[in-house]
Amino acid sequence: MANQIHSILIGAAIAAFVSLPANAGNSPWTTGPTKTFDVKALKVDDVVGTLKIDVKDSGPITLQISGLRNRVDGLKIRPGNGALVIEGHFVDSVWDWSNWFDFSHLGDNKPDQLVIHASVPKGTPIKVDGLIGNATIGSTYGKMEFSAN
């Protein structure tokens, strides 16, 4: 009996070892390139994730997004009206009755599955509205509005 258990364990270990390289390149985590934006303000709206904003002396706003691919792809990033706007995909609010009983995405949106890292020059106005998750924001020496859910 002990020989059979030993053989089963060795077989399972070999199967795990052989399948490991096949799954190594299929990581769902992605890190995008650092992008620069020549804007004067930053707005983050309806995001479930981790927000990190560093402050530098001068230069354009830089942005790097990393996380699970579906979470990164769900963001809308656009410059407009002198501001860089980062929007989550929660445009369909609780008032969208067609999704009231759709629990298929329950647990898909956790703050540690998305990381937004921006660097802004001193004095940059920052507005964060509807953040669910952690935020680390440096001393901006500018106007700051912050609300979290």
Side-chain angles (χ1 to χ4, degrees):
M1 180 73 171
N3 254 352
Q4 290 176 338
I5 293 174
H6 183 63
S7 296
I8 290 172
L9 290 176
I10 289 176
I14 290 172
F17 183 72
V18 169
S19 66
L20 197 74
N23 292 327
N26 296 334
S27 171
W29 192 267
T30 184
T31 300
T34 300
K35 297 181 181 180
T36 59
F37 298 89
D38 191 22
V39 293
K40 303 297 179 201
L42 176 64
K43 181 180 180 193
V44 180
D45 202 14
D46 291 331
V47 169
V48 176
T50 301
L51 177 64
K52 183 173 184 341
I53 301 176
D54 294 327
V55 180
K56 55 188 178 178
D57 288 331
S58 62
I61 292 177
T62 60
L63 179 68
Q64 184 176 39
I65 308 288
S66 58
L68 297 180
R69 183 166 303 281
N70 64 332
R71 298 290 311 285
V72 172
D73 292 344
L75 289 178
K76 293 179 184 173
I77 302 167
R78 60 182 166 76
N81 296 331
L84 175 61
V85 180
I86 303 168
E87 291 180 320
H89 65 297
F90 290 109
V91 238
D92 300 328
S93 69
V94 69
W95 302 110
D96 184 7
W97 64 270
S98 63
N99 291 319
W100 280 0
F101 297 105
D102 179 11
F103 301 110
S104 63
H105 301 290
L106 193 61
D108 283 354
N109 297 314
K110 296 178 183 171
D112 62 347
Q113 296 172 337
L114 179 68
V115 178
I116 299 170
H117 185 197
S119 294
V120 300
K122 284 182 182 175
T124 300
I126 297 174
K127 181 176 182 182
V128 179
D129 187 26
L131 175 71
I132 298 175
N134 296 323
T136 305
I137 302 173
S139 299
T140 63
Y141 301 100
K143 183 178 179 184
M144 167 79 74
E145 295 179 48
F146 190 91
S147 73
N149 293 332

